[in-house]
Amino acid sequence: TVRDPRDDEALYGFLRSPFVAVRDETLLELAWQGSGPRWDVLAGAATSEPGRLARGVALIEEHAALRDRVPVHELLERLLERSGYLGHLALQGEAGSQAIANVRKFLRLARRHEGISVGDFLRIVDEIRARGDREGDERLYGQQDDVMTLTTVHSAKGLEWDVVFWCDLG
């Protein structure tokens, strides 16, 4: 959406996401108003959630203005901070902790592509998805933490523990 606010699918996805959290009914109200890209009618749209829509528009405008002036990871970090998305995840409990760790891992991966545009970064992400490459969840605990880790042999590569139980479930 930051790359192209006139992409209705991306715009609706962003507005419906926890970044803005408008209801489906609001998106339907928006769809009924005029033709053409929704972005063009969004500012003056009469809906039941004008405050949320205004907040979403402000987030998009603010970050669209920065999209080619700051590295992708900084743009994403700023969007996460300004939207309160990490707070939303924190309220999810243990599942939220894993999601926050995964978001931070994604930001570290984005940092590796510091010199490219948002569009180029999105193309890289799309290519990775098309290939079916999988990135595992970020670890919540390190080797020095006092926890028990259940893992596969493949995930344990390069890690060491004082005690290991090798289980055969076959």
Side-chain angles (χ1 to χ4, degrees), residues 19 55 59 63 73-89 100 103-104 106-107:
F19 287 100
R55 184 172 170 275
L59 281 170
H63 293 86
H73 72 277
E74 286 182 25
L75 186 70
L76 291 170
E77 287 169 352
R78 183 181 176 97
L79 179 60
L80 289 166
E81 177 188 324
R82 304 277 289 158
S83 67
Y85 182 68
L86 293 179
H88 163 78
L89 292 178
I100 290 169
V103 166
R104 289 191 174 128
F106 183 73
L107 290 172

Side-chain angles (χ1 to χ4, degrees), residues 88-149:
H88 163 78
L89 292 178
L91 293 173
Q92 306 291 318
E94 184 64 31
S97 297
Q98 184 63 63
I100 290 169
N102 289 343
V103 166
R104 289 191 174 128
K105 181 178 183 180
F106 183 73
L107 290 172
R108 282 195 310 275
L109 294 173
R111 197 170 283 120
R112 294 182 192 161
H113 300 284
E114 189 167 334
I116 66 173
S117 69
V118 171
D120 289 339
F121 181 72
L122 291 173
R123 276 188 281 288
I124 290 170
V125 171
D126 284 343
E127 289 170 5
I128 290 169
R129 283 184 180 158
R131 285 194 311 260
D133 293 357
R134 301 284 304 164
E135 183 70 38
D137 283 340
E138 177 72 318
R139 293 185 186 277
L140 291 177
Y141 305 102
Q143 289 175 278
Q144 304 306 316
D145 292 327
D146 189 21
V147 296
M148 180 174 66
T149 302

Side-chain angles (χ1 to χ4, degrees), residues 12 26-34 38:
Y12 275 40
T26 302
L27 295 179
L28 184 58
E29 291 168 353
L30 184 59
W32 286 339
Q33 298 181 36
R38 297 296 93 196

Side-chain angles (χ1 to χ4, degrees), residues 22-47:
V22 299
R23 296 174 319 185
D24 292 338
E25 294 82 2
T26 302
L27 295 179
L28 184 58
E29 291 168 353
L30 184 59
W32 286 339
Q33 298 181 36
S35 60
R38 297 296 93 196
W39 180 253
D40 296 338
V41 299
L42 191 59
T47 68

